[in-house]
Amino acid sequence: LSTVTARLPEDDDTMAVGKNKRLTKSKKGSRKKALDPFLKKEWYKLQAPSIFSVKDCGKTIITKTQGQKVASDGLKGRVIELSLADLNSNEALSWRKVKLCVEDVQGYNCLLNFHGMDMTRDKLCSLIKKRQSIIEAYVDARTTDGYIVRLFCIAFTRPQDNQIKKTCYAQSSQVRSIRARMVQTLSDLGSSKDLKGLVKDLISAPIGEQIERECSGIFPIKDCFIRKVKVLKKPKFDVSSLMEWHTDEGTDVGTAVAPVAEEGLVAGAGGRL
């Protein structure tokens, strides 16, 4: 009988160099030079609309134009959230947040347009307390220039004058009546003006106080605010309408002149001097 001897495979450590081709390959491309990614970036200025007192509100960064990837296309549509205190140089408005959207890029300037509004969380939490009712309402309105905005309103009940009872809960029928008044006021506000006029009113006009006065006959309320504003739908982009947001509205009215003192009339001259 003939015997067959099987040969065991050699260990990897004892294999010849010629048999293992992976050992002879050079490590090409494994050690790339670490480049600073910021060398490929560039900065663009953010230009806020003219209704705010501070126009130059910040900067944003983007990768430089490379081939068919244009930098300005990557910037359009970016949403920037800013504090109204920084935009209007008024620290009393630090609880209000404003969202602005990049609509167009001219040179190294990004032209912003209104995109939304909100309240800070700490301000909202400071208003919510025990022993009172929260009344909330929202409405969708179409402005005269074609924007569809959703306005959210919030208010809280307060005790009557000289009230002894600790709680001041409103009945569900009273809450429904107050909510109907809120919806009516917000709908009239949103549909009667263009977006620029609406934003001006939201920033400066005391809309909450107006709602408080209208609802005082149903139940006394306090701390009424436009809690949030969303832009749901925008009309087709138009450069001329965007430039209206960025043109200064200040008209030259001249300087104030001191009033001239009237000279006394001479008696017997028929009123002539």
Side-chain angles (χ1 to χ4, degrees):
L1 295 171
S2 59
T3 57
V4 179
T5 57
R7 187 182 175 190
L8 295 172
E10 296 179 6
D11 295 332
D12 291 342
D13 296 337
T14 59
M15 285 179 72
V17 176
K19 289 184 180 178
N20 191 356
K21 294 180 180 178
R22 297 296 302 169
L23 294 174
T24 56
K25 282 200 171 182
S26 61
K27 296 180 181 179
K28 283 185 179 177
S30 61
R31 293 181 184 176
K32 283 188 176 179
K33 237 183 183 180
L35 290 173
D36 186 10
F38 276 80
L39 294 174
K40 296 180 181 179
K41 310 279 183 182
E42 54 189 356
W43 291 91
Y44 283 75
K45 288 182 181 178
L46 300 174
Q47 299 290 325
S50 59
I51 54 175
F52 303 109
S53 58
V54 178
K55 307 292 185 299
D56 195 359
C57 59
K59 288 185 178 182
T60 188
I61 197 168
I62 187 78
T63 309
K64 292 177 184 176
T65 302
Q66 223 172 14
Q68 292 188 349
K69 197 175 181 183
V70 185
S72 60
D73 293 342
L75 286 167
K76 288 174 185 175
R78 281 193 183 183
V79 177
I80 292 96
E81 191 174 73
L82 298 160
S83 173
L84 189 58
D86 296 332
L87 286 171
N88 277 354
S89 303
N90 185 2
E91 284 300 319
L93 301 171
S94 59
W95 53 271
R96 176 69 79 191
K97 297 186 291 185
V98 178
K99 285 183 179 178
L100 301 172
C101 180
V102 178
E103 294 277 339
D104 195 20
V105 180
Q106 295 181 354
Y108 282 94
N109 294 327
C110 298
L111 303 183
L112 304 176
N113 198 355
F114 181 78
H115 189 69
M117 196 179 278
D118 204 355
M119 285 176 74
T120 55
R121 183 176 172 82
D122 62 312
K123 174 70 173 178
L124 197 59
C125 292
S126 68
L127 300 173
I128 299 171
K129 296 170 187 172
K130 292 193 293 184
R131 304 185 183 94
Q132 65 182 15
S133 299
I134 302 175
I135 304 165
E136 288 185 292
Y138 76 93
V139 66
D140 293 351
R142 182 186 286 272
T143 60
T144 55
D145 52 350
Y147 286 85
I148 298 177
V149 293
R150 182 171 289 166
L151 305 165
F152 296 82
C153 184
I154 191 169
F156 303 88
T157 57
R158 65 173 178 84
Q160 302 269 5
D161 297 332
N162 304 320
Q163 180 177 319
I164 299 171
K165 189 170 70 169
K166 282 187 177 180
T167 60
C168 54
Y169 298 119
Q171 295 178 355
S172 58
S173 60
Q174 292 171 325
V175 171
R176 283 198 301 271
S177 300
I178 291 172
R179 191 178 290 120
R181 290 278 181 93
M182 282 180 175
V183 168
Q184 185 61 42
T185 305
L186 294 177
S187 182
D188 294 344
L189 176 73
S191 57
S192 61
K193 298 179 180 179
D194 60 350
L195 185 67
K196 194 173 183 180
L198 177 62
V199 174
K200 280 184 187 174
D201 286 353
L202 292 172
I203 291 170
S204 57
I207 302 161
E209 293 176 13
Q210 178 189 341
I211 295 172
E212 286 176 23
R213 285 194 302 271
E214 290 179 1
C215 299
S216 60
I218 304 168
F219 200 94
I221 60 173
K222 63 173 183 177
D223 296 332
C224 185
F225 293 102
I226 304 296
R227 179 175 66 82
K228 195 174 189 178
V229 180
K230 285 183 182 177
V231 177
L232 300 180
K233 201 171 181 182
K234 297 181 180 181
K236 195 175 178 182
F237 175 70
D238 184 22
V239 178
S240 59
S241 61
L242 176 65
M243 293 312 295
E244 289 177 10
W245 284 79
H246 289 271
T247 51
D248 292 327
E249 297 176 344
T251 53
D252 188 12
V253 294
T255 55
V257 180
V260 181
E262 293 184 3
E263 297 180 4
L265 299 178
V266 180
R272 297 174 188 158
L273 297 176

